[in-house]
Amino acid sequence: MSQSQGPRIGLALGSGSARGWAHVGVIHALEEAGIRPDVVCGTSIGALVGAAYAAGEIERFSNWVQGLRLADVIAFLDVKFFGGLIQGERLMDFFRRNFVDRPVEALAIPFGAVATELASGNEVWLREGSTMDAVRASIALPGLFTPVARDGHLLVDGGLVNPVPVSLARAMGADVVIAVDLLVDVLGRHLRRRRKSAREGEVSAWLTRLQARLSEFIPRNGQTLPSVLDVVASSINIMQVRIARSRMAGEPPDAVVAPRLAHLGLMEFHRGREAIEEGRRAVKAALPQIREALESWG
């Protein structure tokens, strides 16, 4: 469905760390259903996938995601103890070497990313300049990724203010907005008692050692404490779910795609195939709502 044949379609890709690979499956399934967005915007991991799509690189990007292994994820972790645990430059250097960094204005599909200005808390819409820089700012999750300096301001993850950027899609001219919400089933997930898999144990080994050192200074009162990463992930989930519900109540999308990936850990980026398949499934479930929204427009 093109712009000339119907409403201008906007795709709003939400935040969600490793769950964000589901966006790749969502895009594939929408295109297979003949639904091609005229506008794409994203927050955090949604900005990363959205930029790849807007640049015409989604197939190559999809292949890279599905080929990621645990060792690759660990290799991208350039740990720092100021500004954020992960600097993020290894990841962005990889993208600059393997993908063309076009200006946002030159992308094949109009694109925008959401970030947050750290000092004021203002929402920032990134719609010009380096695409890689816009993505890097949007994914700068506080406490994990270091902030990004841009035009004299420090920018961090857009999920702090707009986890599912419906408003940006509207502002970019979308008549019908399809929102991809990765937060529908995440509350409390990281605090539930469960057996950790061998893969999770490996990817969080360095955080486990950090937790052990920190625990020396924390009174337990007989209670088993969750890991540092579990506390951070659960706190981020609470914040983003509450903000997303409030924003989407005031700025409702026309259709919602809701992948269910609460079982994926914050940093389990090596489980891309699983996330992509869930994105496809979620689109199939939402197709009646999406088609109704498109047919009733105007």
Side-chain angles (χ1 to χ4, degrees), residues 17 19 84-86 141-145 160 186-191 206-207 210-211 214 226-240 265-267:
S17 298
R19 297 188 303 275
L85 286 178
I86 304 168
L141 191 63
L144 289 179
F145 283 86
L160 291 176
V186 300
L187 284 185
R189 173 263 171 207
H190 294 280
L191 299 180
W206 59 281
L207 283 170
L210 177 61
Q211 172 77 4
L214 291 175
S227 72
V228 171
L229 189 59
D230 284 347
V231 172
V232 170
S234 293
S235 301
I236 291 169
N237 287 340
I238 291 169
M239 174 193 69
Q240 292 197 345
L266 188 72
M267 302 295 289

Side-chain angles (χ1 to χ4, degrees), residues 114-125 153-158 160-162 247:
V114 178
T116 304
E117 206 278 308
L118 188 59
S120 66
N122 290 335
E123 181 174 344
V124 178
W125 291 349
H153 302 281
L154 284 178
L155 302 183
V156 293
D157 196 301
L160 291 176
V161 290
N162 198 352
R247 293 293 300 259

Side-chain angles (χ1 to χ4, degrees), residues 70-89:
L70 179 60
D72 301 317
V73 177
I74 293 173
F76 287 132
L77 303 183
D78 41 353
V79 180
K80 302 289 180 183
F81 288 94
F82 51 90
L85 286 178
I86 304 168
Q87 191 172 14
E89 294 313 311

